[in-house]
DNA sequence: CCTCAGTAGTGCC
DNA sequence: GGCACTACTGAGG
C-alpha cells in the first residue's frame, strides 16, 4: 500500500528548515534527563541524555532554524505522559506527533510505533515488513535519526543475532529500557 | 574474535 | 552525479 503520511512530508534538504516556534522543557526520569519539544502540530522531539546543555545542542542540531521557548501547560502535560510511559511501558500515548523526515524515515518510524512494549524486532525483519528486504542497514540509519525517543520506540529494534548494536542515546539506556519493558510485561 | 562485500538511504560537495 | 558515511547481515578466516 502507498504510504499516506499523516505528518508533514519533507525532503532531506528541507528537514527542520521551517522556523516555527517550539516549546521546550527538560524533565528528569528514571533513565536520565528527557528533553521534550512541541510545535504547534504536536510532539516534535524527545531526546535523552545526562546533560541539559548537550540536550539543547542536540535540539539545535536537529532544528537549525527552530525558535525555542520555555514550557507551557500543554507541553507539561505531554512531558508528564512521557515520563509515565517510561515507568509503565504498556500505557497508551495518543498525543499528536510532528515527525519530520524523508518518506522512507516516516515509513520506518510509523512501523516502529506498532512494536508492542516488551517485544523486539530486528532491522532486517523491519525492512522485510516494509517490502524492502535488503534495506536493513537503511532501516538502522532511519532508527538512528528518530527524533522522538520512547514514543517512537526505536530501542525495540535489535540485530538479527540479538545484539543491541546501537542506540542514539547510549546502548546502556537501550538495555535499561528493554529490561524494564520485559519485566513490566512479566508483572502483568 | 576479525575482516569483507553487498546493500539501500541520506547528506554533503 | 559522485562519494562517504551508517544503530545491517551473512560468509569466511
Amino acid at each position: 500500500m502507498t504510504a499516506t503520511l499523516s505528518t508533514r512530508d519533507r525532503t532531506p534538504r528541507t528537514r527542520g528548515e521551517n522556523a516555527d516556534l517550539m516549546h521546550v522543557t527538560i524533565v528528569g526520569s528514571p533513565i536520565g534527563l528527557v528533553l521534550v519539544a512541541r510545535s504547534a502540530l504536536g510532539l516534535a522531539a524527545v531526546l535523552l541524555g545526562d546533560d541539559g546543555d548537550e540536550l539543547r545542542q542536540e535540539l539545535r542540531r536537529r532544528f537549525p532554524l527552530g525558535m525555542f521557548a520555555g514550557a507551557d501547560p500543554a507541553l507539561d502535560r505531554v512531558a508528564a505522559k512521557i515520563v509515565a510511559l517510561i515507568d509503565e511501558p504498556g500505557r497508551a500515548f495518543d498525543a499528536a506527533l510532528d515527525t519530520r523526515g524523508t518518506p522512507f524515515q516516516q515509513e520506518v518510524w510509523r512501523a516502529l510505533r506498532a512494536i508492542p512494549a516488551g517485544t523486539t524486532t530486528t532491522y532486517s525483519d523491519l525492512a522485510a515488513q516494509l517490502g524492502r528486504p535488503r534495506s536493513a542497514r537503511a532501516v538502522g540509519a532511519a532508527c538512528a535519526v528518530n527524533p522522538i525517543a520512547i514514543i517512537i520506540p526505536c530501542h525495540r529494534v535489535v540485530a538479527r543475532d540479538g545484539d543491541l548494536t546501537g542506540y542514539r542515546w547510549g546502548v546502556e539506556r537501550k538495555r535499561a529500557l528493554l529490561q524494564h519493558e520485559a519485566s513490566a510485561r512479566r508483572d502483568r
Side-chain angles (χ1 to χ4, degrees):
Chain A
M1 69 179 186
T2 305
T4 302
L5 303 177
S6 59
T7 46
R8 285 190 291 185
D9 174 13
R10 298 184 175 282
T11 68
R13 287 201 167 276
T14 58
R15 182 157 61 92
E17 278 187 7
N18 49 333
D20 52 2
L21 178 72
M22 292 187 194
H23 287 280
V24 183
T25 188
I26 296 179
V27 296
S29 88
I31 56 167
L33 297 182
V34 182
L35 181 151
V36 183
R38 187 179 180 282
S39 75
L41 294 179
L43 184 60
V46 175
L47 314 178
L48 310 178
D50 297 310
D51 181 88
D53 287 336
E54 288 178 12
L55 284 174
R56 276 181 277 269
Q57 285 173 26
E58 185 184 349
L59 183 70
R60 174 57 70 189
R61 273 199 308 274
R62 287 173 177 268
F63 302 101
L65 301 181
M67 300 172 56
F68 305 118
D72 73 346
L75 176 68
D76 291 341
R77 281 195 299 276
V78 172
K81 276 191 194 175
I82 292 165
V83 174
L85 195 62
I86 293 171
D87 279 328
E88 298 179 60
R91 206 177 255 262
F93 183 89
D94 53 7
L97 303 188
D98 178 12
T99 56
R100 306 183 190 188
T102 67
F104 178 78
Q105 286 162 354
Q106 300 275 1
E107 269 190 81
V108 172
W109 299 340
R110 189 162 47 85
L112 292 177
R113 298 194 69 199
I115 307 171
T119 72
T120 62
T121 188
T122 70
Y123 297 101
S124 51
D125 284 350
L126 197 45
Q129 187 189 320
L130 295 176
R132 293 170 175 78
R134 285 154 296 172
S135 306
R137 195 165 193 167
V139 166
C143 292
V145 295
N146 167 32
I148 307 183
I150 310 295
I151 309 304
I152 297 177
C154 60
H155 60 281
R156 296 181 191 144
V157 191
V158 301
R160 205 155 185 72
D161 66 359
D163 195 284
L164 265 44
T165 46
Y167 191 57
R168 185 79 225 293
W169 301 288
V171 173
E172 281 316 307
R173 225 181 304 261
K174 183 174 184 174
R175 194 188 320 282
L177 285 166
L178 289 177
Q179 281 179 357
H180 182 57
E181 292 184 0
S183 70
R185 191 167 78 137
R186 274 196 299 279
D187 293 344
R188 243 183 299 147

